[in-house]
Amino acid sequence: MIEHIDQNFGLHATLIPQLTPNMQVGKTDHFSYVKTGFSCDTFNIIHIHNHQSLPASALEYLVGCYREKNWDYCLWINQENLTAELKNTITSIGLSKQNEEVGMALNLANYELNSIDKDLTFAEVGSKSQLEEYANVVAANWTPADKNVVKFYKQTANHYLLGSANITLFVAYINGEPAGSVELFPTDTETVGIYGLCTLEKFRGKGVGSALMTTALNKAKRQGYHNVVLQATEDGIGIYEKIGFERHTTYFEFA
């Protein structure tokens, strides 16, 4: 399952940028990277997926490219790949741990479709105006809101709206006002990942996040996926375990 989680994570980081003009994606036997062309560590990602014989010089050069442009970026790696030697390499080029998240998975055979009793409405994003609402919700995770997140979705809009990548974005509304968001991103026909689960601050405590998670899981179940994967913060682990998600690995973020 660790491999499924890591494959979904890596594909989620690279697929849309790879399809987008003026964005650069590189892939080696050891890592992949994204350069969006602007400073945003939400999307400028280095993902190490194979620690074996990783050339320290290659990683140092790549980090230097981001620094030369003065772009925000981050490096993600799971605990299976973070050997003591590689951790020393990462530290030696001036990166330090910023965050960690738990890689989790749910076998949908053990998940029953659930109803939503909350006074909410949901839309699957299908227009530029809805995508803008989605982007604004995600951007509001930062204070002030990260304008580069909005910029990213504006530049990549066609890939989400045309549906060629089978990505589903949801926006939740309360009294017609956007309140939260979530994304379903498939690796293949077996595994789908959950990303971008956000609730605007003014609507927190109203069950928006739980309702969005139920909406996403119901959709995944109906579409025939077998596994759902995600990366959970400390606050979310217990919530996901109650649903049936199990812990499989830990991801570390360096910047």
Side-chain angles (χ1 to χ4, degrees), residues 121-123 125 130 133-134 137 169-173 178-181 212:
T121 57
F122 300 89
V125 170
Q130 289 175 328
E133 290 174 333
Y134 177 91
V137 171
L169 305 179
F170 293 95
V171 178
Y173 299 87
S181 64
L212 278 163

Side-chain angles (χ1 to χ4, degrees), residues 75-90:
L75 181 152
W76 285 93
I77 182 171
N78 66 17
Q79 63 187 21
E80 289 72 26
N81 281 293
L82 189 60
T83 62
E85 180 181 1
L86 183 50
K87 187 173 183 179
N88 287 337
T89 297
I90 291 170

Side-chain angles (χ1 to χ4, degrees), residues 5 12-13 15-16 18 27 30 40 47 54 62 81 92 94 99 107 116 145-146 153 223 236-237 241 246 255:
I5 296 171
H12 180 261
L15 178 61
I16 295 299
Q18 191 169 10
K27 297 182 180 181
H30 302 95
C40 186
H47 170 225
L54 191 161
L62 178 57
N81 281 293
S92 71
N99 187 25
N107 183 341
I116 300 170
D146 190 343
Y153 285 105
Q223 288 187 314
I237 294 171
E241 286 181 330
E246 296 180 348

